[in-house]
Amino acid sequence: MIKIKKYKNRKLYNTETGTYLNFTGVQEMIQSDVDFVIVDARTKNDVTASVLTEMVCQNLRKAKNSPELVVLKAVLKNNSSLDGQLSFNFT
């Protein structure tokens, strides 16, 4: 599993290759089924979910076709505290 360090300035550092990554690099790793974890460089806490959520939000802002409001509202309604797993139960 590849360890990626996230620094305070939002830079992502791949400890295996010794190079910095941007969101596109992380997305390429996901598409290639590469296992990785993103940790806060200072605290060593796992921040993978937080970074991936940030990537999803960034991609949504850039998208030509945003998800329908009913889908977004359902996600927020079913997960109002956002402290659990997303459940895609839209029936």
Side-chain angles (χ1 to χ4, degrees):
M1 178 174 302
I2 296 174
K3 183 177 180 180
I4 299 172
K5 291 183 179 181
K6 180 180 184 247
Y7 290 93
K8 188 174 182 179
N9 61 3
R10 294 184 51 197
K11 284 196 175 190
L12 301 171
Y13 182 76
N14 183 329
T15 60
E16 185 173 288
T17 62
T19 57
Y20 286 96
L21 292 171
N22 55 20
F23 282 169
T24 301
V26 174
Q27 191 165 358
E28 289 169 358
M29 291 174 71
I30 292 168
Q31 291 172 344
S32 298
D33 291 323
V34 174
D35 286 328
F36 63 88
V37 62
I38 303 172
V39 297
D40 183 282
R42 185 179 56 81
T43 66
K44 310 293 188 247
N45 291 336
D46 183 343
V47 294
T48 308
S50 173
V51 172
L52 297 182
T53 300
E54 188 177 343
M55 289 175 62
V56 168
C57 290
Q58 181 176 329
N59 286 344
L60 285 173
R61 284 191 293 273
K62 292 179 181 178
K64 293 178 184 175
N65 298 319
S66 296
E68 293 194 28
L69 289 178
V70 66
V71 173
L72 296 173
K73 288 179 180 178
V75 169
L76 293 172
K77 182 177 181 180
N78 292 328
N79 300 285
S80 60
S81 66
L82 297 179
D83 62 355
Q85 300 295 315
L86 287 178
S87 59
F88 294 97
N89 227 351
F90 297 126
T91 56

